[in-house]
Amino acid sequence: MSGGVTCELVAWAAARVDWLREGLLGWFERFGRCFPWREPGRSAYEVTVAEILLQRTTAAQVAQVYPDFLRRYPAWDSLARATPAELEGVLRPLGLWRQKARALQRLARSLEERHGLMPETRRELERLPGIGPYTASAVLAVVYGQAEPLLDANLARLLGRCFGLSQTLSRSSRRRLLQALALHLVRDERSLQVNWAALDFGTLVCRPRRPLCPCCPLRSACAYALLLEPPATPSAGAP
Ligand code: SF4
């Protein structure tokens, strides 16, 4: 795939993304993971805390501390008032617990000044301390139901492999292509499920090392798998 495709995808790429979306959703129905922060009705506070805790930490680790964290600190004001030592103690089982404790408290204090109201636009969200593009996307997607792609390493790897995006592309070209593909992927009324499906699929199947290509439901439309071993008979409907 060349670097000439940017915001709007060419028809064949759009069709392949549509096919991947359905494949991911089908897989997610059977194998998707359940985490407390994915439960319906989670508040902006609960979603944002989860996203900060998940930074460079596995979901399984975060799931162990998350319920206790919310019991101790159910809202921004209680988090803002926590002592650093107490907060670090709660977060100690996670990696980067000092940074996370500092980031959460800075954010809590900033939001207290806004009476606990979480902004609803990317621009305002990214002005808050500790909220980068990915966390802003997560808030927009999970809390406000917007079709925002959660373009993390999992989704980037999955799309990069499926579309055979060359590592020789410049970083900015690769980023633009991935963004266009990811945007199309979540252009669907089930956008949040698509995001979660891609996260889980990238973690469990399209893993960084030794991806499970032989039993992958997406392999017939995956450039990476075709390079390894062209299938004798493509799956029905694969673009
Ligand atoms: S076939 Fe392999 S590389 Fe392609 S999406 Fe599946 S697991 Fe990933």
Side-chain angles (χ1 to χ4, degrees), residues 20 157-159 161-162 201 205-207 210-226 228:
L20 292 176
R157 182 173 59 253
L158 171 63
L159 291 172
R161 284 174 174 168
C162 283
F201 196 84
V205 181
C206 196
R207 310 179 301 198
R210 290 185 291 157
L212 304 178
C213 302
C215 57
C216 173
L218 309 182
R219 69 186 177 283
S220 60
C222 175
Y224 183 95
L226 291 175
L228 293 180

Short mmCIF file of all heavy atoms in Angstrom, two decimals, residues 20 157-159 161-162 201 205-207 210-226 228, ligand 1:
data_model
loop_
_atom_site.label_atom_id
_atom_site.label_comp_id
_atom_site.label_asym_id
_atom_site.label_seq_id
_atom_site.Cartn_x
_atom_site.Cartn_y
_atom_site.Cartn_z
N LEU A 20 -12.63 -6.69 7.65
CA LEU A 20 -11.90 -6.91 8.91
C LEU A 20 -12.77 -6.58 10.11
O LEU A 20 -12.76 -7.28 11.13
CB LEU A 20 -10.64 -6.04 8.96
CG LEU A 20 -9.52 -6.37 7.98
CD1 LEU A 20 -8.39 -5.36 8.10
CD2 LEU A 20 -8.98 -7.78 8.23
N ARG A 157 -0.42 -2.48 14.96
CA ARG A 157 0.22 -3.72 14.49
C ARG A 157 -0.74 -4.52 13.61
O ARG A 157 -0.38 -5.00 12.54
CB ARG A 157 0.65 -4.54 15.72
CG ARG A 157 1.37 -5.82 15.37
CD ARG A 157 1.92 -6.50 16.62
NE ARG A 157 0.88 -6.83 17.58
CZ ARG A 157 0.67 -6.20 18.74
NH1 ARG A 157 1.42 -5.20 19.09
NH2 ARG A 157 -0.31 -6.57 19.55
N LEU A 158 -1.98 -4.64 14.07
CA LEU A 158 -2.98 -5.40 13.32
C LEU A 158 -3.19 -4.80 11.93
O LEU A 158 -3.13 -5.51 10.91
CB LEU A 158 -4.29 -5.40 14.13
CG LEU A 158 -5.53 -5.95 13.46
CD1 LEU A 158 -5.35 -7.41 13.11
CD2 LEU A 158 -6.74 -5.77 14.38
N LEU A 159 -3.41 -3.50 11.87
CA LEU A 159 -3.65 -2.87 10.57
C LEU A 159 -2.38 -2.89 9.71
O LEU A 159 -2.44 -3.12 8.50
CB LEU A 159 -4.13 -1.43 10.77
CG LEU A 159 -5.53 -1.29 11.38
CD1 LEU A 159 -5.83 0.17 11.71
CD2 LEU A 159 -6.60 -1.85 10.44
N ARG A 161 -0.02 -5.06 9.68
CA ARG A 161 0.21 -6.39 9.12
C ARG A 161 -0.83 -6.72 8.04
O ARG A 161 -0.49 -7.23 6.97
CB ARG A 161 0.15 -7.44 10.23
CG ARG A 161 1.40 -7.46 11.10
CD ARG A 161 1.21 -8.40 12.27
NE ARG A 161 2.44 -8.56 13.04
CZ ARG A 161 2.49 -9.14 14.23
NH1 ARG A 161 1.39 -9.63 14.77
NH2 ARG A 161 3.63 -9.25 14.87
N CYS A 162 -2.09 -6.45 8.34
CA CYS A 162 -3.14 -6.79 7.37
C CYS A 162 -2.92 -6.08 6.05
O CYS A 162 -3.18 -6.64 4.98
CB CYS A 162 -4.51 -6.44 7.93
SG CYS A 162 -5.10 -7.62 9.15
N PHE A 201 -7.91 -8.50 20.20
CA PHE A 201 -7.36 -9.33 19.13
C PHE A 201 -5.85 -9.12 19.01
O PHE A 201 -5.08 -10.07 18.84
CB PHE A 201 -8.06 -8.98 17.81
CG PHE A 201 -7.86 -9.99 16.73
CD1 PHE A 201 -8.67 -11.10 16.65
CD2 PHE A 201 -6.85 -9.84 15.79
CE1 PHE A 201 -8.49 -12.05 15.66
CE2 PHE A 201 -6.65 -10.78 14.80
CZ PHE A 201 -7.48 -11.89 14.73
N VAL A 205 -4.28 -12.59 19.70
CA VAL A 205 -4.09 -13.33 18.44
C VAL A 205 -2.97 -12.70 17.60
O VAL A 205 -1.96 -13.34 17.30
CB VAL A 205 -5.40 -13.39 17.62
CG1 VAL A 205 -5.19 -14.19 16.34
CG2 VAL A 205 -6.53 -14.00 18.45
N CYS A 206 -3.14 -11.46 17.24
CA CYS A 206 -2.13 -10.79 16.41
C CYS A 206 -1.07 -10.20 17.34
O CYS A 206 -0.85 -8.99 17.40
CB CYS A 206 -2.79 -9.71 15.55
SG CYS A 206 -1.74 -9.15 14.21
N ARG A 207 -0.43 -11.09 18.06
CA ARG A 207 0.50 -10.69 19.12
C ARG A 207 1.78 -10.11 18.52
O ARG A 207 2.12 -10.41 17.37
CB ARG A 207 0.84 -11.92 19.97
CG ARG A 207 -0.40 -12.68 20.42
CD ARG A 207 -0.08 -13.89 21.23
NE ARG A 207 0.75 -14.87 20.54
CZ ARG A 207 0.88 -16.14 20.91
NH1 ARG A 207 0.22 -16.58 21.96
NH2 ARG A 207 1.65 -16.96 20.24
N ARG A 210 5.24 -14.00 17.52
CA ARG A 210 4.55 -15.25 17.20
C ARG A 210 3.03 -15.08 17.14
O ARG A 210 2.29 -15.65 17.94
CB ARG A 210 4.94 -16.33 18.20
CG ARG A 210 6.40 -16.75 18.00
CD ARG A 210 6.79 -17.89 18.88
NE ARG A 210 6.84 -17.48 20.27
CZ ARG A 210 6.73 -18.28 21.31
NH1 ARG A 210 6.53 -19.55 21.13
NH2 ARG A 210 6.81 -17.83 22.53
N PRO A 211 2.55 -14.25 16.21
CA PRO A 211 1.09 -14.13 16.04
C PRO A 211 0.50 -15.47 15.62
O PRO A 211 1.17 -16.29 15.00
CB PRO A 211 0.96 -13.10 14.91
CG PRO A 211 2.27 -13.11 14.20
CD PRO A 211 3.30 -13.46 15.23
N LEU A 212 -0.76 -15.68 15.99
CA LEU A 212 -1.40 -16.98 15.76
C LEU A 212 -2.01 -17.04 14.36
O LEU A 212 -3.21 -17.30 14.19
CB LEU A 212 -2.46 -17.22 16.83
CG LEU A 212 -1.96 -17.16 18.28
CD1 LEU A 212 -3.11 -17.36 19.26
CD2 LEU A 212 -0.88 -18.21 18.51
N CYS A 213 -1.20 -16.80 13.34
CA CYS A 213 -1.71 -16.73 11.97
C CYS A 213 -2.43 -18.00 11.51
O CYS A 213 -3.48 -17.89 10.86
CB CYS A 213 -0.58 -16.37 11.00
SG CYS A 213 0.22 -14.82 11.41
N PRO A 214 -1.92 -19.19 11.80
CA PRO A 214 -2.58 -20.38 11.24
C PRO A 214 -4.04 -20.51 11.66
O PRO A 214 -4.85 -21.06 10.92
CB PRO A 214 -1.74 -21.54 11.79
CG PRO A 214 -0.40 -20.94 12.04
CD PRO A 214 -0.67 -19.53 12.50
N CYS A 215 -4.40 -20.01 12.86
CA CYS A 215 -5.80 -20.14 13.26
C CYS A 215 -6.51 -18.78 13.31
O CYS A 215 -7.55 -18.64 13.95
CB CYS A 215 -5.90 -20.85 14.61
SG CYS A 215 -4.98 -20.03 15.91
N CYS A 216 -5.96 -17.79 12.61
CA CYS A 216 -6.53 -16.44 12.66
C CYS A 216 -7.70 -16.31 11.68
O CYS A 216 -7.56 -16.64 10.50
CB CYS A 216 -5.45 -15.42 12.31
SG CYS A 216 -6.12 -13.75 12.16
N PRO A 217 -8.84 -15.80 12.13
CA PRO A 217 -9.98 -15.66 11.23
C PRO A 217 -9.79 -14.57 10.17
O PRO A 217 -10.59 -14.47 9.25
CB PRO A 217 -11.14 -15.30 12.17
CG PRO A 217 -10.48 -14.70 13.38
CD PRO A 217 -9.15 -15.37 13.51
N LEU A 218 -8.75 -13.76 10.30
CA LEU A 218 -8.52 -12.67 9.33
C LEU A 218 -7.44 -13.01 8.31
O LEU A 218 -7.09 -12.19 7.48
CB LEU A 218 -8.12 -11.39 10.08
CG LEU A 218 -9.01 -10.94 11.24
CD1 LEU A 218 -8.49 -9.64 11.83
CD2 LEU A 218 -10.45 -10.78 10.78
N ARG A 219 -6.91 -14.22 8.38
CA ARG A 219 -5.69 -14.50 7.61
C ARG A 219 -5.89 -14.42 6.10
O ARG A 219 -4.97 -14.08 5.37
CB ARG A 219 -5.10 -15.85 7.99
CG ARG A 219 -5.92 -17.05 7.56
CD ARG A 219 -5.33 -18.34 8.12
NE ARG A 219 -6.15 -19.48 7.76
CZ ARG A 219 -7.30 -19.78 8.35
NH1 ARG A 219 -7.77 -19.03 9.33
NH2 ARG A 219 -8.01 -20.82 7.97
N SER A 220 -7.12 -14.71 5.62
CA SER A 220 -7.29 -14.72 4.16
C SER A 220 -7.22 -13.32 3.56
O SER A 220 -7.09 -13.17 2.35
CB SER A 220 -8.61 -15.39 3.78
OG SER A 220 -9.68 -14.68 4.36
N ALA A 221 -7.32 -12.28 4.42
CA ALA A 221 -7.21 -10.92 3.89
C ALA A 221 -6.01 -10.21 4.51
O ALA A 221 -5.97 -8.99 4.56
CB ALA A 221 -8.49 -10.14 4.20
N CYS A 222 -5.05 -10.98 4.98
CA CYS A 222 -3.93 -10.38 5.70
C CYS A 222 -2.65 -10.51 4.87
O CYS A 222 -2.21 -11.62 4.55
CB CYS A 222 -3.75 -11.06 7.05
SG CYS A 222 -2.30 -10.48 7.93
N ALA A 223 -2.05 -9.38 4.56
CA ALA A 223 -0.83 -9.38 3.74
C ALA A 223 0.31 -10.12 4.44
O ALA A 223 1.08 -10.83 3.80
CB ALA A 223 -0.42 -7.94 3.44
N TYR A 224 0.41 -9.98 5.72
CA TYR A 224 1.48 -10.62 6.49
C TYR A 224 1.36 -12.14 6.39
O TYR A 224 2.33 -12.85 6.13
CB TYR A 224 1.36 -10.16 7.94
CG TYR A 224 2.41 -10.66 8.90
CD1 TYR A 224 3.54 -9.90 9.17
CD2 TYR A 224 2.25 -11.87 9.57
CE1 TYR A 224 4.49 -10.34 10.08
CE2 TYR A 224 3.19 -12.31 10.48
CZ TYR A 224 4.31 -11.54 10.73
OH TYR A 224 5.24 -11.98 11.64
N ALA A 225 0.12 -12.65 6.57
CA ALA A 225 -0.08 -14.10 6.52
C ALA A 225 0.13 -14.62 5.10
O ALA A 225 0.68 -15.70 4.90
CB ALA A 225 -1.49 -14.44 7.00
N LEU A 226 -0.30 -13.84 4.11
CA LEU A 226 -0.14 -14.28 2.72
C LEU A 226 1.34 -14.39 2.35
O LEU A 226 1.74 -15.25 1.58
CB LEU A 226 -0.86 -13.33 1.77
CG LEU A 226 -2.39 -13.35 1.86
CD1 LEU A 226 -3.01 -12.29 0.97
CD2 LEU A 226 -2.93 -14.73 1.51
N LEU A 228 3.66 -15.22 4.43
CA LEU A 228 4.21 -16.41 5.10
C LEU A 228 3.86 -17.67 4.33
O LEU A 228 4.69 -18.51 4.07
CB LEU A 228 3.64 -16.54 6.52
CG LEU A 228 4.06 -15.48 7.53
CD1 LEU A 228 3.42 -15.77 8.87
CD2 LEU A 228 5.58 -15.44 7.67
S1 SF4 B 1 -3.09 -13.54 10.00
FE1 SF4 B 1 -1.49 -13.23 11.54
S2 SF4 B 1 -0.65 -11.21 11.13
FE2 SF4 B 1 -2.61 -11.36 10.06
S3 SF4 B 1 -4.12 -10.50 11.45
FE3 SF4 B 1 -4.08 -12.69 11.81
S4 SF4 B 1 -2.61 -13.01 13.46
FE4 SF4 B 1 -2.27 -10.94 12.65
#
